[in-house]
Amino acid sequence: MQMRTRSGGHDYEGLSYLSYEDTTPFFILDMFNLRSVDVNIEQGMAWVESGATLGELYYKVSEKSNIHGVPASVCSTVGVGGHFSGGGYGTLIRKYGLIVDQIEDAKLIDVNGELLDRSSMGEDLFWAITGGGGASFGVVLSFLFKLVHVPPKVTYFSLEKTSEEEIINVADKWFQIADKLDPDLFIRMGFNVINNTEGNKTISATFPSLFLGNTTSLVSQ
Ligand SMILES: Cc1cc2nc3c(=O)[nH]c(=O)nc-3n(C[C@H](O)[C@H](O)[C@H](O)COP(=O)(O)OP(=O)(O)OC[C@H]3O[C@@H](n4cnc5c(N)ncnc54)[C@H](O)[C@@H]3O)c2cc1C
């Protein structure tokens, strides 16, 4: 039987818990009991176990400090195990890159049942489980990563456009400025299918955004 490791269960393809056409029998190794978060503000680092959700991780960091953040997903129910091993992007990406850019160490059980850390697994395997997805290489128990600096107050704003003309206008402007904006300013463009007032399907474009500063400095950008 195959063993499929499940942390937050948010894999888009459901590889941790679904079978689809693949009829190979499998059992699930669920990491939900391994969810501790150990934040060391003096060192600016944290160990997090794979079964923790990102929401739990963010909450635990915020309990210790209001000037430290985690550059990872906007979705609080995504699990650390799949997200950290697969790359992990979020609203801090322009300033701090992916969560894998901050990972310093990991604990992994390999196919022989050996418990390995970065030095004993070697740099090739460490490289693979910090971006290549964890599932092919073993079971990741936990990650050590660097916290990043955030101001105590940030500005969040969002814009939604539903008319085709407005979407094209705003998207055109966004394409011209997105790569030139200050790294403190993140503006994401996303599309959704919605029903219009006549009940017909139409498209909406949203621009959820985050600025690492207050509104006065945002307006001066
Ligand atoms: C609603 C939603 C929002 C999302 N938002 C974002 C986003 O903003 N940014 C972003 O980058 N991604 C986002 N994702 C994608 C998400 O980061 C990935 O799908 C991620 O792999 C999910 O991790 P998980 O632990 O929740 O999922 P799982 O289904 O538990 O695992 C995903 C894969 O990793 C393997 N795996 C899980 N835990 C371990 C472990 N401990 N050791 C080894 N292998 C393991 C599983 O076997 C599976 O193949 C989103 C996904 C969803 C569903």
Side-chain angles (χ1 to χ4, degrees):
M1 291 178 82
Q2 274 184 3
M3 184 182 83
R4 301 206 185 160
T5 313
R6 181 185 188 278
S7 287
H10 273 47
D11 185 64
Y12 278 121
E13 293 81 20
L15 293 179
S16 58
Y17 55 92
L18 291 180
S19 200
Y20 292 121
E21 290 113 39
D22 183 359
T23 53
T24 315
F26 66 92
F27 66 94
I28 294 172
L29 176 67
D30 201 317
M31 305 298 285
F32 70 92
N33 279 325
L34 294 178
R35 58 196 319 134
S36 75
V37 180
D38 183 9
V39 181
N40 187 324
I41 290 298
E42 286 70 40
Q43 291 177 358
M45 312 269 270
W47 272 104
V48 59
E49 287 187 317
S50 292
T53 63
L54 296 178
E56 287 170 329
L57 172 60
Y58 300 160
Y59 185 79
K60 291 279 164 75
V61 172
S62 73
E63 279 185 323
K64 292 271 178 81
S65 164
N66 66 352
I67 55 162
H68 288 81
V70 183
S73 165
V74 286
C75 179
S76 58
T77 47
V78 164
V80 164
H83 191 69
F84 277 44
S85 58
Y89 73 90
T91 51
L92 296 174
I93 190 171
R94 299 200 68 238
K95 186 146 186 177
Y96 294 113
L98 305 171
I99 188 63
V100 288
D101 297 320
Q102 309 301 331
I103 296 177
E104 292 283 307
D105 205 342
K107 291 191 181 138
L108 172 120
I109 304 273
D110 74 3
V111 68
N112 301 315
E114 299 285 331
L115 175 61
L116 307 172
D117 64 6
R118 181 173 183 170
S119 66
S120 54
M121 78 178 76
E123 286 303 303
D124 281 353
L125 182 50
F126 180 74
W127 177 83
I129 59 161
T130 50
S136 308
F137 307 105
V139 178
V140 183
L141 300 183
S142 54
F143 289 99
L144 174 70
F145 69 96
K146 286 184 286 188
L147 299 165
V148 299
H149 177 77
V150 290
K153 277 195 183 162
V154 297
T155 307
Y156 172 80
F157 60 97
S158 187
L159 184 73
E160 182 177 21
K161 295 287 176 193
T162 49
S163 97
E164 196 174 316
E165 197 185 332
E166 281 184 318
I167 293 173
I168 291 168
N169 279 343
V170 179
D172 182 50
K173 284 192 185 126
W174 184 80
F175 278 122
Q176 289 174 37
I177 59 160
D179 62 323
K180 298 174 191 72
L181 294 172
D182 189 291
D184 283 344
L185 178 56
F186 169 85
I187 302 178
R188 171 178 177 167
M189 181 170 65
F191 296 103
N192 293 307
V193 177
I194 56 165
N195 288 324
N196 65 14
T197 44
E198 288 85 44
N200 299 319
K201 280 196 170 25
T202 181
I203 200 161
S204 110
T206 54
F207 296 82
S209 308
L210 179 77
F211 178 64
L212 297 174
N214 61 24
T215 46
T216 313
S217 40
L218 171 62
V219 171
S220 68
Q221 287 286 318

